[in-house]
Amino acid sequence: MGDRELEIRRVRTIAEYHQCEELQRAAWGFSGDLDVVPLTQMMAANRAGGIVLGAFDTGGALRGFCYGFLGRNDQGRLHHYSHMTAVHAESRASGLGARLKWAQRDAALEQGLDLMIWTYDPLESLNGYFNFSKLGVIADTYWQDYYGPTSSVLHRGIPTDRLRVEWHLRSARVDKRRRGELGPLVVL
């Protein structure tokens, strides 16, 4: 089964939430459970305005997921805060991460939201390219050592600096990206 045949939908069962926990460990290389978002948090968020989407194969195995919750920015504007997207290693170059983000966008729009915010590691250049070129985000804030030390092997003892991005879900730039039109990156 190819990743195009996966069903992307809300996570529903305890077993599916456990798969989300396991995928976090695998995707982020967490050596302990302190950094894993637990099923209790994801389930509560999913039922109280948050969004937890999974990409499932026909056998019910989780190939990727995204998780976020409602938040307010510094001006009090309600938005969706996308906390995590994770994809199995063998599916990473398949476009599944993009499918999950666009599905997350659709779910946020269905809730009447037009803004999504998240952070990412600015040292991850492929993630930066994806965020800016493929999705059309804008960046407005840089935080040094945002999370402090984590158990992720990806961080290897380096500070967890993060770039905060905004995804204006109804903007012309984002609509162009959705249609596959990659505009030039603009640095101000």
Side-chain angles (χ1 to χ4, degrees):
M1 166 183 264
D3 287 330
R4 289 279 164 214
E5 292 132 13
L6 297 174
E7 177 188 20
I8 296 178
R9 61 165 171 78
R10 283 195 182 257
V11 173
R12 298 182 195 132
T13 68
I14 290 174
E16 290 173 354
Y17 284 107
H18 279 303
Q19 288 187 70
C20 293
E21 291 174 325
E22 289 303 317
L23 182 51
Q24 289 175 67
R25 289 181 189 95
W28 301 109
F30 293 138
S31 61
D33 284 339
L34 289 178
D35 296 307
V36 174
V37 179
L39 76 93
T40 52
Q41 170 60 37
M42 288 185 286
M43 182 181 291
N46 209 14
R47 293 186 178 177
I51 300 168
V52 185
L53 300 176
F56 297 93
D57 67 20
T58 56
L62 182 73
R63 307 304 305 147
F65 84 101
C66 58
Y67 158 70
F69 45 86
L70 292 172
R72 291 196 184 275
N73 68 5
D74 294 340
Q75 294 75 40
R77 182 177 176 190
L78 191 64
H79 66 272
H80 180 77
Y81 187 89
S82 179
H83 179 63
M84 182 178 293
T85 300
V87 174
H88 270 283
E90 60 271 13
S91 296
R92 289 203 184 125
S94 70
L96 180 55
R99 288 183 60 209
L100 282 163
K101 290 307 285 186
W102 290 112
Q104 190 179 35
R105 173 188 181 256
D106 292 343
L109 287 169
E110 287 174 12
Q111 291 179 326
L113 301 171
D114 61 3
L115 176 63
M116 191 178 299
I117 294 173
W118 66 88
T119 65
Y120 83 94
D121 183 345
L123 296 177
E124 296 293 331
S125 61
L126 291 177
N127 197 344
Y129 175 79
F130 172 74
N131 287 328
F132 291 98
S133 292
K134 300 283 186 175
L135 300 178
V137 303
I138 60 172
D140 64 355
T141 305
Y142 184 89
W143 283 304
Q144 293 181 343
D145 206 18
Y146 186 68
Y147 293 113
T150 75
S151 67
S152 173
V153 297
L154 298 174
H155 300 141
R156 294 179 204 90
I158 61 173
T160 52
D161 292 2
R162 293 294 179 265
L163 190 62
R164 180 184 179 273
V165 297
E166 291 188 353
W167 199 19
H168 294 270
L169 305 179
R170 295 186 192 278
S171 73
R173 179 181 53 258
V174 171
D175 287 339
K176 285 176 71 172
R177 297 316 196 272
R178 181 72 184 252
R179 293 190 304 270
E181 300 171 23
L182 300 181
L185 289 178
V186 176
V187 181
L188 303 174

